[in-house]
Amino acid sequence: MAGEFQQTIDRINAKSQILLKRYALIEKARAEAARRIGELEAEVDTLKKENGKLHTEVEFLKIATTIAPDRADVAATRALLTELVREIDKCITELND
């Protein structure tokens, strides 16, 4: 009877040691997962901020391209200014004569 009791205690002790080892492994994995989650949350925050900045920059560039004249407009404006300068030169020449 004492032998059976000792065997039962030994089995319980062995199983409790196995449970403690498994618990330690799970606790270590949980701590690693929590650390990784923290890193990923920080990375997500950084990427969200960068995304916001890039979105703002895209909006500014859209506005800038809408406002900025294209080459045809620049050429037409230069031609108009050149013609106006010629007319002014003609007027000055006529006034001097």
Side-chain angles (χ1 to χ4, degrees):
M1 180 134 173
E4 287 179 25
F5 184 66
Q6 186 61 40
Q7 287 175 349
T8 304
I9 291 174
D10 289 342
R11 277 195 314 253
I12 291 173
N13 189 24
K15 288 181 181 181
S16 66
Q17 291 299 319
I18 291 170
L19 284 174
L20 287 173
K21 287 179 184 177
R22 286 182 181 174
Y23 177 79
L25 288 173
I26 290 172
E27 183 65 26
K28 183 178 177 183
R30 188 192 70 77
E32 178 63 26
R35 182 192 63 77
R36 182 72 176 136
I37 287 170
E39 289 175 358
L40 291 174
E41 286 176 343
E43 185 176 348
V44 165
D45 287 341
T46 302
L47 291 174
K48 281 183 180 180
K49 289 177 185 175
E50 182 179 354
N51 188 13
K53 288 179 184 177
L54 291 173
H55 181 70
T56 303
E57 186 175 334
V58 165
E59 289 300 317
F60 288 153
L61 290 174
K62 284 180 181 178
I63 292 169
T65 55
T66 302
I67 294 173
D70 60 356
R71 288 187 174 174
D73 290 339
V74 171
T77 304
R78 284 185 181 163
L80 177 64
L81 289 174
T82 302
E83 183 62 31
L84 290 174
V85 168
R86 284 185 190 141
E87 287 183 29
I88 292 171
D89 286 343
K90 286 180 186 177
C91 290
I92 292 173
T93 304
E94 287 179 9
L95 288 174
N96 287 336
D97 290 336

